[in-house]
Each structure stands twice: as C-alpha cells, then as structure tokens.
Amino acid sequence: MNAAGLRHERRLLLRRLALSAPAMATLAVFLLVPLGIMLLVSFLQPGDYGGVKWGEYSLEAYVNFLYERDLDDSLVFNTDYLQIFQRSFWLSVLTTAGCLLVGFPTALYLALQSERRRNLLLLLVTVPFWTNLLVRVYAWILLLRNGGLVDSGLEALGLVHGGDLNVLYTDVAVVIGLLYTFLPFMVLPIYTSLEKLDWRLVEAAYDLGATRRQALRRIIVPLAMPGIAAGTILVFIPSLGNYIIPELLGGGKALMIGNLIQLQFGTAHNWPLGAALSFALLAFVLLAMLVYSLRFKGAAAGGHP
Amino acid sequence: MNPRNPLWRFTGVRPLAWLFFAFLYVPIVVLVALSFNGGQSATLWESFSLKWYAVVANDPEIVRAAKNSLLVATFATLIATALATLAALGMRGPAHRGRTLMSGVLSLPLLVPEIVTAVATLMFFAFIGLKLSLFTILIAHVVFCIPFAYLPIRARLEGMDPRLAEAAADLYASPWRTFWRVTLPLLAPGMLSGAMLAFIISMDDFVITYFVAGAGATTLPVYIFSSIRMGISPKINAISSIILLISILFVALSYYIGQRKR
C-alpha cells in the first residue's frame, strides 16, 4: 500500500474511534471510575455518620469481614458475614440446579417445535425479562402469604389442613423467587445451543441402536454444554448478588450478599465494608466470566436476551 | 428434522415445559386479576371494580413518581440511543487493536452485578460532591441503558448489505448523503428497537435508582418498593398492573418492529 492509501486508512480509523468516543467516555467516567473509587473506599476509614473519611487509609474493612473488634481492641473471630456468604452461595446453587432441572427440558421442548410455534413460545419466555422485577416479586407475596392463593388453594385441595402455610419470609420463598426470576436466563442460552444442533447426529445415534436416554446423554447434552454453562453463569451470578428478592420474600431475615451490602450504606453506616463486600462480589463474577470464556473459547456465549 | 416424528418426543419434556410457562405467567395473571378487585383486601376477591385504578390516578404522590420516571426514562433513552448509535457505527468495519476491549467496555454494565454498580455510582457522586437528585439518577440510567440500546443497533448494522452503500457511492452520492439516505433509514428499526428496550429498562430499574435517588426524587419503582415494605394493598396491585401492561405492550411492539423488514 502506498503512503496516501495508508494515510487514508488512518483517517478512517480515527473517524471510527471518534464515533465510539462519546459512549466510551461516558462508560469510563461513570462506570469504570466509580468502580475504581469503590476499591479506594474499601481501604478507607468509615465516617461517623455514613460516608467515609477521605484520605485516612486502613485495612479495617477487610479485617472486619472475618474479625470483630472487641471492647479492649482485641480481634475476635466472627463468622457472621461468612455465614451470609455461605447462605447466598447455597441458595444460588439450589436456584441454579432447579433452573437446570426445568430449563433444559423446556429448551429441548422449544427446539423441537415447528418454527412458527417456536417463535411465539420464545417471545413468551422473554416477555417476563422485560417486565418489572419488583412487581413480579410482589405478585409472589400475594401468592405465598398466609391466606394467599397458594395457601387457600392447597387447603381447598385438602393437601393441608388448618394452620398457616408460613412459607413467605423463609428461604423457600427466596428460592422460589430466584427460580421464577432467573429461569428464562437458563432456557434461552440452552435453547440457542440446541437450535444450532445438527439433529442428524441424533438420528445416526438412533440408527446405531441408541435408546432415547442414551442419545440424550451421549449426544444432546454434550452438544448443549456451552448453553448449559452460559445459563449456569447467567443464573448463578445475578442470584448471588440479588437484593430485591431476599429483601421482599425473605422479609429481611434471610439475608443474602446484596442485602448485606445495602445494610452498610443504610443503617450500619459502614461504607468501606460495603465497598469491600461489593468488590469481593465483583471479583467473583469476573473470575467466573474469565473461566467460562477460557473453557468455552470460540463457542458462542449467545442467549443473553 | 420433522417435529411430528415420535422419535423426537422425550418423556416428561412437554409437561415440564408447560409447568415452566404456568410458573412464569400465573403470578402475573393473578396480580392483574386482583387489581380489579373492588374490596379492601389485596388478596380476597369480592367484586369487579376499577376503583383502585381511580385511586392510583388521583394519588398525587404516585403521579409525581410516574412523572419523574417518565422524565428520566425519556432523557436516558435519547442520550443512550444517540451514544449507542455512534458507537455502533464506529465499531463497524475491519477489526483493529482495542476493538475487543471497547466491546468489552460496552457490555460491562450487563456484567457487573446491579448492586455493585449501584454502590459504586453512589460513592462516585459522594466523591465528586454531586448532590443526589433526578440528575444523578439520569446519569446512572444512561450508563446501564447504553448496552441495551447498542445491541439491537449493532445487530442491525451487521445484517446490513454493504453493497447498498457502495451502490450509492457509485451513483455519486457523497458519504454524508449516503449516510442520511441509505444507512440511517436502514438502521432506523434497530435504533427504535434499541431505544424501546432502553426505555423499558430505565422505567423498570429499582436497585440502582434506589441508591442514587436523593430525597424527593422518587421514581415509580422506588415508590412501589417503599409501599410494599409498608404492607400489601389493592392500590399496589393496580399500579403494578399498569406497569406490567406498559412493559408487555412495549416488548410486543419492539418484537413486531424487529420482525418486520428483516
């Protein structure tokens, strides 16, 4: 290429960079810089009435996570926060497992429908994603509360007699809410994998005498693996940091990481601890994404609606 | 593959799929049905009535929150769509160093947990000393609306036939003229669908808004959250149903626009 051509190329590239610049600058200033400030705050001293003492550095927030400072200033091992992390972790694992159990068959069902029907059903899967989460969680309060529809429905069926259901404001309610919110996130990526699947491979398996179960286990599930992995991440990570569902369905008793973080900015007035907890959550998410992209490099992550 | 072939029927798949759809839609249907309840109770059915919708429409606090939500969503959508369109145009063409990084940054708001974004944004405003208000809500909303506006626009650009622009150039159209007369009209459905998604996302956001809303700057979801915490009521049923129906209407419209002219 001659010099003039090169100059032209350069000009085109600069023009393209200039076009992307406003969005990049917005995200850099209002997202990347705040994340950096969050990291900084996690190393500061908390202010007396919320906020922080800018410029007074300390590792207190990270120490606080595992230890409590006693009256005589000695450190006592304290597992309160670890327990909340553990709870969040298990509730999210349970949610992910439940989503897989219902999500995979649903995705398989979708993939095996005629095209017109499939498009309609897909729309039905995505609609709840775009509707207000708060409102949909509220609907579950109406359903699950004592004397609500589930309670009176079970009673009418004769499955329970007298007494209250007492399921709202428990871990069960939280998991139901999480399942309800994140099921579409499992169905869509698995469906994307199954849609691309070459069904002739399954036919070949049948021809070779495989049963349905064998075809499912040896052909379909392995080929749907990128979708299953993507779905697992898309369910597990947002449920881990969810705030609304444990707050409303757990009634503030069944705390998860999200609520613990919010508390630090509300009544607990401990911004550095809140920042450190947020940073831990973010690091975990980024690590999971990294592992996923290394493991399934080249495979379409797909499916994010 | 013929879907009618019995070889493609797996035991238990269909009932589980229908269970899934029932699980997804029963709460929504129940909520909307209960919003037409005439009684004082939020869950016990008495009679059909539109009374609670009238109560909602006449509640000054709800009306103010709705106005705030609309104001923020409108401006956030306009700004985010403009930024996203420019970015999508800039990301077109041969790959260059930094493009992967740039598309990573563009999808970052989808990746970072909402609560983390909320907390980080709050501390940022505290750091630069900006008082919390509707304006801080707007800034936060623009940030997370960008990827939602960007993705459909980018998809539309990717599916565009480059020969159309070349044909325009062959016919002596200047680059500007080509852009205005060829590229932009073809891009419009993508921009519209991106803008609609951004609008819904902004209207629906609670967590981030809750953190960066100053006193008095209440949006509809923040209002609903604080009412739910005070206890369920038929009034919340009505306002919730209105929000649900608006979202569903928007998605259906956005889907329709996306299907047309593909």
Side-chain angles (χ1 to χ4, degrees):
Chain A
M1 201 184 289
N2 58 28
L6 247 153
R7 257 207 316 277
H8 182 65
E9 289 277 293
R10 254 186 106 91
R11 253 213 347 259
L12 281 180
L13 180 62
L14 276 178
R15 189 190 296 167
R16 284 168 56 203
L17 288 177
L19 281 170
S20 310
M24 288 298 149
T26 307
L27 290 173
V29 173
F30 296 114
L31 186 62
L32 289 176
V33 170
L35 288 175
I37 289 175
M38 184 179 87
L39 186 59
L40 175 76
V41 166
S42 74
F43 290 109
L44 291 174
Q45 294 267 22
D48 298 324
Y49 307 99
V52 285
K53 295 174 177 156
W54 300 104
E56 288 182 37
Y57 297 94
S58 107
L59 282 172
E60 194 71 14
Y62 293 92
V63 175
N64 262 338
F65 182 68
L66 290 176
Y67 298 97
E68 202 172 19
R69 214 171 267 287
D70 228 347
L71 286 175
D72 58 357
D73 232 22
S74 62
L75 292 173
V76 184
F77 192 61
N78 175 357
T79 56
D80 284 3
Y81 298 139
L82 267 186
Q83 269 171 15
I84 292 178
F85 263 72
Q86 203 185 11
R87 274 175 45 85
S88 310
F89 186 82
W90 282 116
L91 291 181
S92 302
V93 166
L94 219 62
T95 304
T96 311
C99 282
L100 252 175
L101 214 67
V102 180
F104 184 83
T106 305
L108 187 60
Y109 178 77
L110 286 177
L112 292 171
Q113 298 304 306
S114 68
E115 195 170 333
R116 263 191 62 191
R117 206 178 145 82
R118 205 191 305 175
N119 282 336
L120 182 73
L121 291 175
L122 269 180
L123 181 66
L124 284 180
V125 178
T126 40
V127 163
F129 176 81
W130 300 114
T131 53
N132 196 307
L133 175 61
L134 199 60
V135 166
R136 287 184 298 133
V137 173
Y138 170 71
W140 275 103
I141 300 183
L142 296 182
L143 285 170
L144 292 177
R145 68 197 291 259
N146 290 337
L149 224 74
V150 174
D151 194 5
S152 42
L154 287 176
E155 195 136 352
L157 288 171
L159 288 170
V160 287
H161 296 286
D164 288 329
L165 192 61
N166 285 331
V167 72
L168 189 61
Y169 307 137
T170 64
D171 283 357
V172 178
V174 173
V175 172
I176 290 178
L178 290 171
L179 268 174
Y180 173 67
T181 310
F182 295 116
L183 253 169
F185 291 78
M186 185 62 90
V187 173
L188 289 173
I190 297 181
Y191 166 77
T192 313
S193 291
L194 287 177
E195 192 201 18
K196 283 182 300 207
L197 193 146
D198 185 351
W199 291 93
R200 285 173 305 180
L201 293 171
V202 188
E203 278 168 10
Y206 283 148
D207 283 346
L208 294 169
T211 61
R212 283 205 183 81
R213 177 190 285 268
Q214 280 174 322
L216 202 62
R217 221 188 55 217
R218 307 275 295 262
I219 313 280
I220 300 179
V221 171
L223 285 172
M225 223 41 185
I228 293 175
T232 303
I233 288 184
L234 287 178
V235 170
F236 185 76
I237 286 174
S239 55
L240 198 63
N242 198 285
Y243 168 71
I244 296 179
I245 295 162
E247 186 72 22
L248 293 181
L249 297 179
K253 279 185 289 179
L255 283 190
M256 285 176 75
I257 302 175
N259 314 85
L260 185 60
I261 293 174
Q262 194 275 332
L263 269 181
Q264 308 313 317
F265 292 86
T267 44
H269 289 311
N270 194 344
W271 284 28
L273 182 59
L277 292 170
S278 305
F279 185 69
L281 183 62
L282 180 64
F284 185 78
V285 169
L286 295 180
L287 201 70
M289 296 309 292
L290 188 71
V291 170
Y292 172 79
S293 62
L294 288 179
R295 174 69 183 71
F296 293 97
K297 209 178 351 185
H304 203 298
Chain B
M1 183 194 85
N2 177 8
R4 298 248 163 104
N5 189 330
L7 271 181
W8 303 117
R9 285 201 204 118
F10 295 91
T11 334
V13 161
R14 194 216 292 260
L16 271 172
W18 288 112
L19 184 79
F20 164 78
F21 283 109
F23 185 58
L24 219 53
Y25 282 94
V26 164
I28 295 178
V29 172
V30 168
L31 173 67
V32 175
L34 285 173
S35 72
F36 295 111
N37 185 7
Q40 292 295 321
S41 157
T43 48
L44 289 177
W45 181 262
E46 281 176 37
S47 59
F48 179 86
S49 150
L50 290 172
K51 145 180 162 198
W52 294 107
Y53 285 93
V55 171
V56 163
N58 291 316
D59 185 321
E61 217 180 326
I62 294 181
V63 172
R64 184 149 27 89
K67 276 185 187 155
N68 283 343
S69 275
L70 279 174
L71 194 72
V72 169
T74 306
F75 280 102
T77 302
L78 290 175
I79 299 170
T81 310
L83 293 177
T85 308
L86 291 176
L89 288 168
M91 295 293 273
R92 199 171 46 159
H96 57 79
R97 260 180 300 165
R99 197 168 79 161
T100 325
L101 182 75
M102 279 161 69
S103 59
V105 171
L106 275 169
S107 57
L108 200 61
L110 300 176
L111 215 67
V112 179
E114 238 189 336
I115 187 100
V116 176
T117 309
V119 164
T121 313
L122 170 68
M123 287 185 279
F124 171 73
F125 290 139
F127 182 76
I128 62 172
L130 193 58
K131 212 169 160 301
L132 298 180
S133 64
L134 272 187
F135 182 63
T136 49
I137 300 180
L138 176 63
I139 292 175
H141 279 220
V142 168
V143 168
F144 67 73
C145 282
I146 286 176
F148 286 98
Y150 171 76
L151 291 174
I153 300 175
R154 173 100 185 112
R156 184 87 194 170
L157 260 182
E158 221 140 67
M160 206 180 280
D161 190 343
R163 285 173 303 183
L164 290 170
E166 284 164 21
D170 279 351
L171 295 168
Y172 298 106
S174 68
W176 262 114
R177 212 173 146 82
T178 308
F179 176 74
W180 283 109
R181 302 291 294 269
V182 179
T183 312
L184 201 62
L186 285 170
L187 202 56
M191 287 167 67
L192 193 60
S193 131
M196 286 175 131
L197 295 184
F199 188 81
I200 302 176
I201 291 293
S202 166
M203 279 297 279
D204 281 353
D205 178 75
F206 165 69
V207 175
I208 294 171
T209 313
Y210 184 55
F211 275 78
V212 298
T218 307
T219 64
L220 220 38
V222 174
Y223 172 83
I224 293 177
F225 181 78
S226 24
S227 330
I228 296 176
R229 287 239 279 212
M230 305 231 235
I232 60 171
S233 80
K235 199 162 93 177
I236 310 180
N237 295 358
I239 181 74
S240 300
S241 301
I242 296 175
I243 293 190
L244 274 181
L245 294 179
I246 291 176
S247 300
I248 290 174
L249 202 75
F250 258 81
V251 183
L253 220 65
S254 157
Y255 176 77
Y256 174 73
I257 292 166
Q259 290 285 302
R260 229 180 24 161
K261 297 198 216 163
R262 255 287 146 81

